[in-house]
Amino acid sequence: MQEYVDCLSRKYTSMNTRHITFFFTSIAVVALLSFSSTTYAASECVFERDLELGMQGEDIRCLQRYLNSAGITIAQDGPGAPGQETSLFREKTQIAVGAWQTLNGIMSATGYFGPVSRGKYLELTSGTPTPVTPTPVQQPTPTEPDDSEEDASSEEQDARELLKDVIDAIDDAEDEIDNAQDDGETVTEAENELASAREKLLNALYAFIDEDYEDAVKRGQRALDSAQDASDEAGGSDEDNADEAIEDAEDTIDEVRDAIIEAEDDGDDVDDAEELLNDAENALDDAQDSFDDEEYEDAIDSAEEAQDLAEEARDEL
């Protein structure tokens, strides 16, 4: 287990920190954590036997092609690298299979490509779970890896879902930071929080791969908090954004109210504008109530509605 953890770690540390979409892009963690049923058309294989260390055959070459196409690279260059797949099941193939098993919810991730692994492969490439009967002549001996692969536990699923949430939060934070930079704002604190979120997420993934799901959840929650803090630093907190939206709506309503009074003094028909402005004021009251209840997203929605209604009232003049 630790061997392929170290292998994945080397992939991470060799990447550019800002453009990695973290360590997850190189090993397709986003897809694997969500159990994507992506079909790798170029790597459709037929596995009629269990595969393990020391074996040879064209089915192994196809397995290597599949793993490479799925983002779990056998080797960066040389034998096993994309386009240079071999028919030999050696140590690097075993490591890659073990990583694929762990990230696809197969608990006994020994690198032995047995019945459950073959069934999972069929499920991922066809979109339909398919039971697989092991080939009798390829049963492992007592000295070989045990093929007692099991489905992921609910505890593992909870950890997996949290890691997915962290990945999404990091993506959101990156977008917030990019937008803030485009607006010429200083994002140093946000970038520091984002770097912290990535580091914490890496530690959470290590715990996940080591099957310490409780620790993965604990570390994942810390990563999620840091990612959300990064978003707040870049785009402002929900409370600040709601307060700003309410102030903008108040200013617009005041301006339109003055315009209505002026139009009425000039003898213009302002009934439709008055009705729309009343609706705007009611929406603004709803926004303030939501703000007081600390329901900031609802406050923003109501404030934006008030702003739109006030502007429609102005258009009626």
Side-chain angles (χ1 to χ4, degrees), residues 19-92:
H19 297 97
I20 44 182
T21 298
F22 199 57
F23 142 83
F24 308 103
T25 299
S26 72
I27 61 170
V29 168
V30 174
L32 294 172
L33 286 176
S34 61
F35 287 103
S36 170
S37 59
T38 303
T39 299
Y40 299 93
S43 299
E44 292 179 352
C45 308
V46 177
F47 298 115
E48 298 180 342
R49 57 175 182 164
D50 302 342
L51 303 177
E52 59 186 319
L53 190 65
M55 295 179 67
Q56 182 174 353
E58 288 304 309
D59 47 359
I60 294 170
R61 191 190 308 276
C62 195
L63 174 61
Q64 290 183 0
R65 286 174 178 162
Y66 165 71
L67 292 170
N68 284 335
S69 70
I72 305 177
T73 310
I74 305 295
Q76 294 298 321
D77 51 48
Q84 301 182 61
E85 292 85 357
T86 75
S87 62
L88 303 176
F89 197 119
R90 296 291 185 260
E91 183 180 358
K92 290 181 180 179

Side-chain angles (χ1 to χ4, degrees), residues 172-185:
D172 291 341
E174 288 177 344
D175 291 341
E176 291 282 0
I177 289 173
D178 287 341
N179 291 336
Q181 286 177 321
D182 291 342
D183 293 338
E185 298 177 16

Side-chain angles (χ1 to χ4, degrees), residues 186-198:
T186 302
V187 295
T188 303
E189 291 298 324
E191 288 182 328
N192 289 340
E193 287 290 351
L194 183 59
S196 177
R198 286 171 173 156

Side-chain angles (χ1 to χ4, degrees), residues 99-135:
W100 176 85
Q101 289 169 328
T102 298
L103 296 172
N104 277 284
I106 298 171
M107 295 183 100
S108 296
T110 61
Y112 176 84
F113 196 75
V116 176
S117 293
R118 291 193 284 132
K120 174 58 71 174
Y121 166 80
L122 288 174
E123 179 181 342
L124 292 174
T125 55
S126 68
T128 304
T130 307
V132 180
T133 302
T135 306

